[in-house]
Structure formats: C-alpha cells, structure tokens
Amino acid sequence: MALRNAVLRQLRVPVQTLGMNQSQIGFLGSIRSFSSNDDHLSREAVVDRVLDVVKSFPKVDPSKVTPEVHFQNDLGLDSLDTVEIVMAIEEEFKLEIPDKEADKIDSCTLAIEYVYNHPMSS
Amino acid sequence: MVSRSEVLSLCRAMLRAGRQYPHYNLREYTKRRTLDGFRMNNTDQSKVNEAYAEAKAQLVVLERSVKFHSLYPPKTKNIMEVKLQ
C-alpha cells in the first residue's frame, strides 16, 4: 500500500494554478470576453506567423523582414517568389486565397491584413 | 499573347494541385519543378506562348496523377514530416 502510494506520488501530474497576476492583464486586454469570435487569431499572432513564413523563405534575408516590407521592392523578389510566399501563407493559415486576391498581396502589410480579416484563418 | 496574370494563375494552379499529393517527395518535387520551370521560361519572351500551352497540358497530367497517387497513400509518415522535438 505504501509502495503504491509512493509510486503514485511520483506519477501524479502536479496541478498548475493559472492565476492571472496584474502584469498579465494588460497583455490579455486584446481578448474580448463574451465575444462570439473568440477563436479568431490575435493580430500579434498573425504578424508573428506571417513574418516567420517570410523569414524562412530561402531567398530572403531575415534581418530585412519587417511587418511593412514589400516583397518585390524591399526584398528583391520576383513575382514567382511572391506567388510562392502567398502559397506558403495559405498553407500556414489553412486558407484558400482566390487568384484575384492573391495577385494583390504584394507586401507583408497586405498579407497580414488579409489573413487577419479572413474569418477562416487558424 | 498570354498575359502576366494568366501565367501566375497557371503557376498557382499547378502549385495547388501539387500540394494534394499524400507523398512528401512528390509534393516537394512538384513545387520545386514548377517554380524552376516557370522561372526558366521567364527569360525568353518569344517562347512564352508555347511554354504556356505546355504548362497547361502538364497541369492536366498533374491533376490526374494526384488522383492516382491518392489511391495508394503511403502507410507510414515520412521522416521529413515529423516535427522536430
């Protein structure tokens, strides 16, 4: 019996209390309670993930990537690279971007706007 | 004369078709090959129409090939698809 308890004590997962301290409330202010759109991505998450996708592109210099960077003017990519980046963003957020919209996405700002405003991003 | 947007649409359609393969190697190959192919034919402006027609035929082949390969998906997960821990 004692052995069983000893073993269980080792195996039992410690309970973690997720108390919200004052310092976190400012950060969590972007989450709206009672909102029907709770599972929508926050803007910072969208920005981070879009920038990660752009930075992991082999032709891109990661130090130049900012949320306002233009693919062709600032990063020196051509239109096929833009197509590739938009495809990678589609995969990252599990979206299907129609051709007309994808043609307009020329910079990180437009990409972030599109993903943020799309209801199906995840 | 094919327009720029048509070429980009075709490229996008091929990339989208290639994404549907269950096999990691086929997916990566089609992605790499379509982009390389489109880039190679970019430079020679006189051959654009021929290249466009060829690519359209290849797109049909690609769609059919995706359907065949989906009939026999790989049984084990490819090592490249396993997330690093």
Side-chain angles (χ1 to χ4, degrees):
Chain A
M1 194 60 197
L3 176 63
R4 176 179 176 274
N5 283 339
V7 170
L8 279 179
R9 216 177 301 126
Q10 300 300 319
L11 290 177
R12 212 160 265 154
V13 176
V15 171
Q16 287 168 330
T17 48
L18 293 171
M20 223 187 346
N21 35 7
Q22 284 298 116
S23 59
Q24 286 179 333
I25 295 202
F27 171 71
L28 293 173
S30 61
I31 297 179
R32 297 177 296 169
S33 43
F34 304 115
S35 162
S36 60
N37 207 7
D38 270 343
D39 53 355
H40 199 70
L41 295 172
S42 75
R43 205 191 174 83
E44 304 103 46
V46 171
V47 170
D48 284 339
R49 283 166 71 182
V50 169
L51 290 188
D52 277 342
V53 167
V54 178
K55 280 182 199 170
S56 58
F57 199 65
K59 292 190 186 174
V60 159
D61 179 8
S63 57
K64 287 193 191 163
V65 175
T66 72
E68 296 93 28
V69 81
H70 193 275
F71 297 141
Q72 300 189 9
N73 300 341
D74 300 329
L75 296 175
L77 304 173
D78 71 356
S79 48
L80 284 175
D81 294 323
T82 316
V83 168
E84 205 180 330
I85 287 189
V86 171
M87 286 266 124
I89 292 178
E90 270 190 28
E91 279 181 41
E92 168 74 19
F93 291 98
K94 302 193 184 52
L95 298 174
E96 275 282 326
I97 306 182
D99 278 355
K100 268 184 55 181
E101 304 293 319
D103 272 340
K104 296 186 202 150
I105 297 183
D106 245 357
S107 62
C108 273
T109 29
L110 293 175
I112 293 169
E113 281 307 315
Y114 186 87
V115 173
Y116 187 63
N117 294 333
H118 202 288
M120 303 275 292
S121 333
S122 64
Chain B
M1 273 308 288
V2 289
S3 70
R4 190 166 165 278
S5 60
E6 281 176 28
V7 170
L8 291 179
S9 296
L10 185 60
C11 185
R12 232 174 261 129
M14 289 184 98
L15 288 174
R16 270 192 235 274
R19 265 201 314 216
Q20 293 168 22
Y21 275 119
H23 307 70
Y24 171 83
N25 51 339
L26 289 168
R27 281 201 299 270
E28 290 297 309
Y29 173 72
T30 33
K31 197 159 78 172
R32 201 173 49 221
R33 183 67 184 89
T34 53
L35 290 168
D36 283 350
F38 274 86
R39 219 162 266 139
M40 267 192 327
N41 293 323
N42 242 353
T43 49
D44 198 350
Q45 283 305 311
S46 59
K47 305 231 175 85
V48 160
N49 285 330
E50 289 174 28
Y52 184 78
E54 265 181 55
K56 269 207 127 150
Q58 289 298 313
L59 175 61
V60 174
V61 171
L62 185 53
E63 302 264 344
R64 208 183 324 139
S65 170
V66 162
K67 292 200 177 85
F68 281 146
H69 282 282
S70 308
L71 289 175
Y72 291 96
K75 291 193 184 129
T76 53
K77 206 168 186 187
N78 195 309
I79 185 70
M80 300 291 286
E81 294 175 325
V82 173
K83 284 208 172 101
L84 275 179
Q85 279 160 357

